PDB file of all heavy atoms in Angstrom:
ATOM      1  N   ASN A  46      78.388  92.711  88.478  1.00  0.00           N
ATOM      2  CA  ASN A  46      79.049  91.681  89.296  1.00  0.00           C
ATOM      3  C   ASN A  46      80.033  92.227  90.323  1.00  0.00           C
ATOM      4  O   ASN A  46      81.190  91.776  90.371  1.00  0.00           O
ATOM      5  CB  ASN A  46      79.805  90.681  88.406  1.00  0.00           C
ATOM      6  CG  ASN A  46      78.884  89.927  87.482  1.00  0.00           C
ATOM      7  OD1 ASN A  46      77.761  89.592  87.865  1.00  0.00           O
ATOM      8  ND2 ASN A  46      79.324  89.684  86.269  1.00  0.00           N
ATOM      9  N   PRO A  47      79.649  93.200  91.136  1.00  0.00           N
ATOM     10  CA  PRO A  47      80.618  93.732  92.098  1.00  0.00           C
ATOM     11  C   PRO A  47      81.047  92.673  93.115  1.00  0.00           C
ATOM     12  O   PRO A  47      80.204  92.024  93.726  1.00  0.00           O
ATOM     13  CB  PRO A  47      79.863  94.878  92.789  1.00  0.00           C
ATOM     14  CG  PRO A  47      78.420  94.577  92.584  1.00  0.00           C
ATOM     15  CD  PRO A  47      78.320  93.826  91.284  1.00  0.00           C
ATOM     16  N   VAL A  48      82.351  92.487  93.234  1.00  0.00           N
ATOM     17  CA  VAL A  48      82.938  91.573  94.214  1.00  0.00           C
ATOM     18  C   VAL A  48      83.577  92.464  95.276  1.00  0.00           C
ATOM     19  O   VAL A  48      84.546  93.168  95.003  1.00  0.00           O
ATOM     20  CB  VAL A  48      84.003  90.672  93.548  1.00  0.00           C
ATOM     21  CG1 VAL A  48      84.700  89.790  94.572  1.00  0.00           C
ATOM     22  CG2 VAL A  48      83.370  89.834  92.441  1.00  0.00           C
ATOM     23  N   THR A  49      82.994  92.459  96.483  1.00  0.00           N
ATOM     24  CA  THR A  49      83.491  93.403  97.491  1.00  0.00           C
ATOM     25  C   THR A  49      84.805  92.909  98.084  1.00  0.00           C
ATOM     26  O   THR A  49      85.012  91.712  98.289  1.00  0.00           O
ATOM     27  CB  THR A  49      82.458  93.598  98.631  1.00  0.00           C
ATOM     28  OG1 THR A  49      82.046  92.313  99.106  1.00  0.00           O
ATOM     29  CG2 THR A  49      81.266  94.383  98.144  1.00  0.00           C
ATOM     30  N   VAL A  50      85.672  93.872  98.371  1.00  0.00           N
ATOM     31  CA  VAL A  50      86.995  93.590  98.947  1.00  0.00           C
ATOM     32  C   VAL A  50      87.297  94.629 100.034  1.00  0.00           C
ATOM     33  O   VAL A  50      86.464  95.504 100.308  1.00  0.00           O
ATOM     34  CB  VAL A  50      88.096  93.589  97.865  1.00  0.00           C
ATOM     35  CG1 VAL A  50      87.970  92.368  96.970  1.00  0.00           C
ATOM     36  CG2 VAL A  50      88.073  94.861  97.038  1.00  0.00           C
ATOM     37  N   ASN A  51      88.473  94.514 100.637  1.00  0.00           N
ATOM     38  CA  ASN A  51      88.759  95.372 101.791  1.00  0.00           C
ATOM     39  C   ASN A  51      89.392  96.720 101.443  1.00  0.00           C
ATOM     40  O   ASN A  51      89.640  97.529 102.332  1.00  0.00           O
ATOM     41  CB  ASN A  51      89.621  94.615 102.818  1.00  0.00           C
ATOM     42  CG  ASN A  51      90.953  94.187 102.232  1.00  0.00           C
ATOM     43  OD1 ASN A  51      91.254  94.477 101.084  1.00  0.00           O
ATOM     44  ND2 ASN A  51      91.749  93.505 103.025  1.00  0.00           N
ATOM     45  N   SER A  52      89.689  96.973 100.164  1.00  0.00           N
ATOM     46  CA  SER A  52      90.174  98.299  99.747  1.00  0.00           C
ATOM     47  C   SER A  52      90.156  98.398  98.229  1.00  0.00           C
ATOM     48  O   SER A  52      90.067  97.386  97.521  1.00  0.00           O
ATOM     49  CB  SER A  52      91.596  98.553 100.255  1.00  0.00           C
ATOM     50  OG  SER A  52      92.539  97.807  99.504  1.00  0.00           O
ATOM     51  N   GLY A  53      90.291  99.638  97.763  1.00  0.00           N
ATOM     52  CA  GLY A  53      90.412  99.865  96.318  1.00  0.00           C
ATOM     53  C   GLY A  53      91.713  99.273  95.798  1.00  0.00           C
ATOM     54  O   GLY A  53      91.771  98.744  94.687  1.00  0.00           O
ATOM     55  N   THR A  54      92.762  99.376  96.613  1.00  0.00           N
ATOM     56  CA  THR A  54      94.053  98.811  96.225  1.00  0.00           C
ATOM     57  C   THR A  54      93.924  97.302  96.024  1.00  0.00           C
ATOM     58  O   THR A  54      94.441  96.748  95.052  1.00  0.00           O
ATOM     59  CB  THR A  54      95.107  99.113  97.314  1.00  0.00           C
ATOM     60  OG1 THR A  54      95.064 100.510  97.606  1.00  0.00           O
ATOM     61  CG2 THR A  54      96.495  98.735  96.865  1.00  0.00           C
ATOM     62  N   SER A  55      93.212  96.639  96.944  1.00  0.00           N
ATOM     63  CA  SER A  55      92.987  95.193  96.800  1.00  0.00           C
ATOM     64  C   SER A  55      92.211  94.881  95.524  1.00  0.00           C
ATOM     65  O   SER A  55      92.484  93.869  94.860  1.00  0.00           O
ATOM     66  CB  SER A  55      92.199  94.646  97.994  1.00  0.00           C
ATOM     67  OG  SER A  55      92.944  94.742  99.168  1.00  0.00           O
ATOM     68  N   ALA A  56      91.255  95.728  95.190  1.00  0.00           N
ATOM     69  CA  ALA A  56      90.459  95.497  93.973  1.00  0.00           C
ATOM     70  C   ALA A  56      91.370  95.530  92.738  1.00  0.00           C
ATOM     71  O   ALA A  56      91.256  94.680  91.849  1.00  0.00           O
ATOM     72  CB  ALA A  56      89.344  96.536  93.856  1.00  0.00           C
ATOM     73  N   LEU A  57      92.288  96.498  92.707  1.00  0.00           N
ATOM     74  CA  LEU A  57      93.235  96.584  91.582  1.00  0.00           C
ATOM     75  C   LEU A  57      94.158  95.368  91.566  1.00  0.00           C
ATOM     76  O   LEU A  57      94.404  94.764  90.526  1.00  0.00           O
ATOM     77  CB  LEU A  57      94.081  97.856  91.704  1.00  0.00           C
ATOM     78  CG  LEU A  57      93.379  99.189  91.451  1.00  0.00           C
ATOM     79  CD1 LEU A  57      94.266 100.351  91.896  1.00  0.00           C
ATOM     80  CD2 LEU A  57      93.028  99.339  89.972  1.00  0.00           C
ATOM     81  N   TYR A  58      94.668  95.029  92.733  1.00  0.00           N
ATOM     82  CA  TYR A  58      95.592  93.908  92.873  1.00  0.00           C
ATOM     83  C   TYR A  58      94.937  92.599  92.428  1.00  0.00           C
ATOM     84  O   TYR A  58      95.517  91.802  91.689  1.00  0.00           O
ATOM     85  CB  TYR A  58      96.042  93.804  94.335  1.00  0.00           C
ATOM     86  CG  TYR A  58      97.021  92.703  94.579  1.00  0.00           C
ATOM     87  CD1 TYR A  58      98.332  92.824  94.155  1.00  0.00           C
ATOM     88  CD2 TYR A  58      96.631  91.532  95.207  1.00  0.00           C
ATOM     89  CE1 TYR A  58      99.238  91.791  94.358  1.00  0.00           C
ATOM     90  CE2 TYR A  58      97.535  90.496  95.418  1.00  0.00           C
ATOM     91  CZ  TYR A  58      98.841  90.634  94.992  1.00  0.00           C
ATOM     92  OH  TYR A  58      99.736  89.623  95.185  1.00  0.00           O
TER      93      TYR A  58
END
Side-chain angles (χ1 to χ4, degrees):
N46 298 323
V48 176
T49 50
V50 289
N51 61 2
S52 75
T54 309
S55 294
L57 289 168
Y58 181 74

